[in-house]
Amino acid sequence: MRFDVPPTAGLPLLAADLLPGGDGDLEAALARFLGVERTQLECSGTAALVVALTALRRHAPGRTEVVVPGYTCPLVALAVAHCGLQLRLCDLRPASLDLCPEALAALCGPRTLAVLPTHLAGRVTDVGPALAIAHAAGAWVIEDAAQALGARSGGRAVGLQGDIGFYSLAVGKGLTIFEGGVLVARDPALRDACRATSRATVPARPGWELRRSVELLGYAALYRPAGLRWAYGAPLRRALARGDWVEAAGDDFGDRIPLHRPGRWRRAVGVRALARLPAFLAEGTARAAARRARLAALPGITVLADSSAAPDAQGTWPAIWLLLPTPAARDAVVRRHWGAGCGLALPFVHALPDYPQYAHAVPRAGPQALPHARDLAARVLSVSNSPWLDAARFEQVLAALADACR
């Protein structure tokens, strides 16, 4: 039977994870996993960012600008707009996910509230320059580790170098409770401020929690080879048939950011699944090492790795991101193989200023601006690191890439 390989390696849930009762203290379990004193659970990674920005703005009401990478998830821009703050876009280093230090220094000043270095696709980015430049300007650093729960740098979890860090528990990012977010802060006073902000701004909303609980049950039932053809493959192919790459990539977000409190049952599901996460990540790292070696041997292919400037970086591998030699080569692979179910996909379709639907939340950028972020967006391609990408389909991926690079 034909099935679709998911674009990333998410942790499948077991029937035992879904039982009622049990330990519902997911915050304490995540604190032990991350090696921190305390974590804060929110309903999504985006909600965690909203809470963090709101707490910081209360500390420094005169600071209204947030600096983010020019290539990142559009939800980051929507979160900044939700908080009534102004987005500033920073270019990247060439062929890298690291913020360009020179560009960042030019953007930071007395109005800067926060800088967001981002660990996309589990890749560990270099946080050091952002810390130095932001702190010199009197701003905070929020590490966007939404896609990197379990990654490490300098002997500790990523997300802990900055003043605040956050992670996503959405589908496809490893551990999931369908939607969830985790917030950490180094300074106890800042931790207390984030918790107080959440209590003051995030309501219970039982209807949203019921919806997320049903969606989590659907994920548990369909996130397996037999279900992915319908849950992932069919909607993907419909979007591709319309030529809508943004919808196909899941980049079509609404402006509304739901804010509510995750319920006890989903928390208990997360506690039980978290016990399996370290072994799952270790298996993914070993699997990715073998696949990366084959991919890197293809002429013209660059495999994006952890930043060479990040100390002792050990990223997670939900997917393997590649840079193809030209945008035309990348687009040829996308058009021929994205809907084929073999694990090839686009991560985010555009650099942030190039999404027409987010023009209200993202400042304009001329055609010469953000050259490295836009080059990345034009040439990047994602290869799934799912265990369901078997040897035969991986050979199909290699053949497709080799053909495009010729």
Side-chain angles (χ1 to χ4, degrees):
M1 176 179 172
R2 182 174 185 262
F3 67 89
D4 288 81
V5 175
T8 58
L11 177 66
L13 294 177
L14 304 179
D17 296 334
L18 307 175
L19 295 174
D23 180 8
D25 195 350
L26 183 54
E27 289 181 335
L30 286 164
R32 292 190 294 271
F33 176 77
L34 293 169
V36 296
E37 183 178 339
R38 191 169 70 178
T39 67
Q40 179 175 324
L41 189 67
E42 298 295 340
C43 64
S44 67
T46 310
L49 177 57
V50 165
V51 169
L53 290 172
T54 304
L56 293 181
R57 191 175 190 186
R58 291 177 175 179
H59 274 272
R63 293 179 176 267
T64 59
E65 296 178 352
V66 180
V67 183
V68 309
Y71 182 78
T72 192
C73 179
L75 282 171
V76 172
L78 295 178
V80 173
H82 175 95
C83 295
L85 298 166
Q86 287 75 53
L87 198 71
R88 302 295 302 275
L89 302 177
C90 185
D91 204 10
L92 304 172
R93 286 175 169 154
S96 169
L97 297 174
D98 288 344
L99 292 171
C100 172
E102 293 77 17
L104 181 59
L107 288 167
C108 287
R111 298 182 63 83
T112 306
L113 178 70
V115 175
L116 271 70
T118 304
H119 307 283
L120 288 176
R123 304 284 44 79
V124 179
T125 193
D126 183 16
V127 179
L131 284 169
I133 295 167
H135 287 173
W140 287 273
V141 169
I142 301 176
E143 272 186 79
D144 181 349
Q147 300 181 0
L149 180 66
R152 301 184 69 80
S153 179
R156 57 180 178 169
V158 301
L160 306 182
Q161 283 183 267
D163 302 292
I164 295 175
F166 71 94
Y167 312 86
S168 173
L169 303 182
V171 294
K173 295 185 175 70
L175 179 69
T176 187
I177 54 173
F178 193 83
E179 278 284 3
V182 186
L183 199 58
V184 294
R186 288 191 301 169
D187 179 66
L190 200 50
R191 280 202 301 269
D192 291 342
C194 288
R195 195 166 288 273
T197 298
S198 181
R199 284 196 299 265
T201 60
V202 179
R205 292 187 174 167
W208 267 105
E209 182 54 23
L210 176 61
R211 173 178 170 172
R212 294 299 189 227
S213 297
V214 172
E215 289 169 333
L216 181 59
L217 288 171
Y219 171 84
L222 296 176
Y223 193 75
R224 55 196 72 252
L228 282 165
R229 181 180 181 185
W230 312 108
Y232 168 66
L236 168 67
R237 282 182 281 276
R238 286 196 296 270
L240 292 175
R242 295 191 296 271
D244 192 339
W245 285 13
V246 171
E247 182 182 347
D251 289 358
D252 52 334
F253 303 108
D255 286 352
R256 184 185 179 192
I257 297 174
L259 297 175
H260 62 96
R261 301 194 181 283
R264 190 187 187 286
W265 175 71
R266 286 201 298 139
R267 292 172 182 250
V269 172
V271 171
R272 286 187 280 260
L274 180 59
R276 301 194 307 279
L277 184 64
F280 181 80
L281 294 178
E283 291 166 3
T285 297
R287 188 167 53 246
R291 290 175 175 174
R292 284 157 49 209
R294 299 283 308 279
L295 291 163
L298 295 173
I301 294 288
T302 300
V303 178
L304 287 177
D306 297 325
S307 173
S308 59
D312 190 25
Q314 301 171 33
T316 58
W317 293 93
I320 303 169
W321 282 14
L322 315 174
L323 289 180
L324 270 70
T326 65
R330 195 283 305 271
D331 289 356
V333 176
V334 169
R335 290 191 178 97
R336 292 184 62 186
H337 299 284
W338 193 359
C342 60
L344 286 171
L346 281 185
F348 309 119
V349 176
H350 302 298
L352 282 181
D354 299 328
Y355 289 93
Q357 62 267 53
Y358 303 126
H360 62 290
V362 180
R364 292 182 180 179
Q368 304 305 315
L370 307 171
H372 302 311
R374 281 170 157 159
D375 175 66
L376 186 95
R379 294 195 292 129
V380 71
L381 186 69
S382 176
V383 177
S384 176
N385 193 35
S386 170
W388 298 323
L389 177 59
D390 58 25
R393 290 206 185 185
F394 186 61
E395 292 300 326
Q396 180 184 345
V397 168
L398 292 172
L401 293 169
D403 182 60
C405 291
R406 292 192 192 102

